[in-house]
Amino acid sequence: LYPDVTFIALDVAQGDLGEDYTVPSNVYCAVYQEELCGYMAGYAAVKLGYTHLGVLGGMAVPAVQRFGYGFVQGADAAAVEMGIADQVVMEYAYGNQFYGDSDITAYMDNWYQTLGVEVVFASGGGIYTSAAEAAAKVGGKMIGVDSDQSPIINQYADGMTVTSAMKGLAATVKTLLTDTVAGNFDLHAGKVENLGLVSGDDLTLNYVGLPVETTEWNDTFTVDDYTALVKAMVDGKVTVSSDITVRPETTIAVNYNGNIK
């Protein structure tokens, strides 16, 4: 219906496209504030009762780093709020690739079986497969990324997925199609927009978030608690740094292990 209009969702920030890059007037590019949904996932994990966490990134590219550093900040905030910062520990590593293999699975085996990691946030393409394979051996848990990954992660073991740090692709497409049909594509034409939170009341309008239907809610972290967190973030009462040039300052212990390979 609209052959001259192109929507693109990217995993890069505008600066990564180059200072001289100009978006064509018939193109719209959406990038996402991964640190925000990463924060939500880390916050939720600790509030749900997990105290030994892991972050497994693919390659240390900006989007993966923002997911991970957001997760660290969220877990730290929840632990401080609950007064258990001295009890929460996080392992952090990159596979240095976007797919799982036997070496990374063995590394994850050590996390789950030896170190006692309870849940791993895997961000970076197919890297999650190694964490899922290791988790399935001991009844471990995982947190998905980008979309609600519970349908694929739970194939390794029922109920393995705690939640997912999601980009709101559906909200993005709905907004763009609605505006395009209404003749308002010019509002977005030729732009790279960095999408995040826009509503503290209607979660479906946001471009980052957790899946309400499949998150492992309990009495210590409910849907209402999550909604309150989102509202606090929208209102500016909770802030999340997107800076990936330095590691987040934390009260919890975070063991940065560099690249696995």
Side-chain angles (χ1 to χ4, degrees):
L1 295 177
Y2 301 94
D4 297 326
V5 173
T6 301
F7 307 149
I8 300 176
L10 298 173
D11 273 344
V12 296
Q14 186 168 3
D16 296 328
L17 299 175
E19 294 182 1
D20 298 327
Y21 181 80
T22 301
V23 180
S25 61
N26 67 328
V27 172
Y28 167 72
C29 298
V31 297
Y32 297 87
Q33 296 172 39
E34 295 94 351
E35 69 277 1
L36 299 183
C37 51
Y39 182 99
M40 297 172 190
Y43 186 92
V46 173
K47 286 288 186 174
L48 289 168
Y50 299 100
T51 57
H52 201 160
L53 317 174
V55 174
L56 172 64
M59 298 181 73
V61 297
V64 172
Q65 290 179 292
R66 287 191 292 270
F67 270 127
Y69 285 3
F71 188 86
V72 171
Q73 293 174 70
D76 186 66
V80 170
E81 284 182 17
M82 298 171 70
I84 59 169
D86 60 336
Q87 302 172 40
V88 176
V89 179
M90 186 180 298
E91 313 299 331
Y92 197 114
Y94 297 102
N96 204 28
Q97 60 191 42
F98 290 116
Y99 57 92
D101 64 17
S102 59
D103 293 331
I104 297 175
T105 299
Y107 198 94
M108 292 295 99
D109 283 337
N110 182 58
W111 274 14
Y112 281 109
Q113 297 182 31
T114 305
L115 300 183
V117 170
E118 299 163 292
V119 57
V120 170
F121 175 38
S123 165
I127 198 79
Y128 79 91
T129 59
S130 279
E133 289 170 2
K137 298 172 186 175
V138 293
K141 297 282 189 171
M142 279 194 60
I143 292 172
V145 75
D146 287 336
S147 62
D148 180 359
Q149 284 195 304
S150 59
I152 57 173
I153 292 176
N154 287 352
Q155 292 180 22
Y156 290 84
D158 186 47
M160 181 182 288
T161 312
V162 173
T163 190
S164 295
M166 303 191 307
K167 298 173 182 176
L169 302 180
T172 307
V173 172
K174 182 177 180 180
T175 297
L176 266 293
L177 290 179
T178 298
D179 284 349
T180 300
V181 170
N184 295 321
F185 181 71
D186 286 347
L187 295 173
H188 311 282
K191 294 181 180 179
V192 177
E193 291 187 328
N194 191 17
L195 304 178
L197 296 172
V198 297
S199 176
D201 301 308
D202 187 350
L203 301 180
T204 66
L205 299 178
N206 291 321
Y207 299 105
V208 291
L210 305 180
V212 171
E213 293 185 357
T214 60
T215 293
E216 185 187 275
W217 310 111
N218 63 20
D219 291 341
T220 60
F221 193 63
T222 65
V223 175
D224 287 342
D225 294 329
Y226 166 58
T227 303
L229 171 64
V230 173
K231 183 169 179 55
M233 294 171 75
V234 172
D235 292 344
K237 296 178 181 178
V238 171
T239 59
V240 185
S241 173
S242 62
D243 187 1
I244 58 174
T245 63
V246 294
R247 295 169 178 170
E249 293 186 6
T250 62
T251 303
I252 65 172
V254 182
N255 300 315
Y256 291 97
N257 299 302
N259 289 327
I260 297 172
K261 302 184 70 173

